[in-house]
Amino acid sequence: MRGSAVRRSVVQTDAVRRAWRAGLSVVVATSAYGLSFGALSISSGLDLWQTMVLSLLMFSGGSQFAFIGVMAAGGGVAGVASAAMLGLRNALYGMSMRRVVAPRGALMPIAAHVTIDESTAVALAQPEPRSQRVGFWVTGVGIWLGWNAATLAGALLGDLLGDPKQWGLDAAAAAAFVGLLWPRLQARQAIAVAAASAVVATALLPALPAGLPVIVAAAVGVVVGLTNWLGPKHESSLPDPGTARHPDPAHPRGEHA
C-alpha cells in the first residue's frame, strides 16, 4: 500500500509539472496576441481606457476582436451582439470547469472570469484532478495578466509596431490551441468533428460577420454529440473514467486529489 501511494504521488507530481509547462507555454503565445488587440483597438477608434476596460472586464479575445471589428465598421449594436454571442461559449465551459476546479467562496467569481478557451483546454488535457486544477489556474490567471499587459503595450506602441500580422501575432494563439488539441485527435469521432468544423468555418468566413462562422461550426460538434455519429455504439461497455483513474479502493471514485 505504501509503495502504491508513493508511485501515485510521483505520478501526480510529474503531471503537475507538465500542467505548469503547458499552461505557461500557452500564456506566452496567447498573451503576445494581446499586442495585436491593443494596436487594432486604438486604430478602430477606441481610446486607451476603453481598450483596457475591454481586456480587463470582457477578457475574451474572440469577443473583443469581434467587438472592435464591428465598431470600426460603424455598427454599435451589432458589435455588442457579436461579442455576446461569442462569449456564450464561456458559459458552456463553466459547466464543466465548475466540476473540475471546484472553486469556493471568493474564488468562484475569479474562476468564472478566467474560464476561457485556453484555460479550459489546458485543464481538460491533464490526466488527473490536481494537475487539471493547476493547468486551469496557471493558464487562466497567467493569460489575464499577460493579455492585459500586452494590450497596454500594443495600445501605447501601436504605431511603432506597424501591422501586427507581420510579426505572426495573429497566428500565435491559434497555433497554441491547435498544439493542445492535436494529441486528443485520436478517435474517429474527434477527427471527423475537427475536420468538419474547420471546413464549415472556412466556407462561411467570407459570407458571415466576424465570429459567426465559429459559432456555426461549433454546432457541428453539438450535432455529433447528440447523434453520437462515429462514436461508440454501446457506452455502457466503456470503462468508467472515474474507476480507471482511481483503481485503488482507498481513493474513492470521483474524489478530487
Side-chain angles (χ1 to χ4, degrees), residues 236-256:
S236 60
S237 65
L238 297 176
D240 187 331
T243 304
R245 180 175 293 166
H246 303 303
D248 190 343
H251 196 146
R253 185 177 63 190
E255 179 182 343
H256 289 299

Side-chain angles (χ1 to χ4, degrees), residues 185-195 221 224-232:
L185 298 181
Q186 298 178 354
R188 288 188 307 165
Q189 187 181 60
I191 294 172
V193 170
V224 171
L226 291 175
T227 61
N228 198 33
W229 181 56
L230 294 179

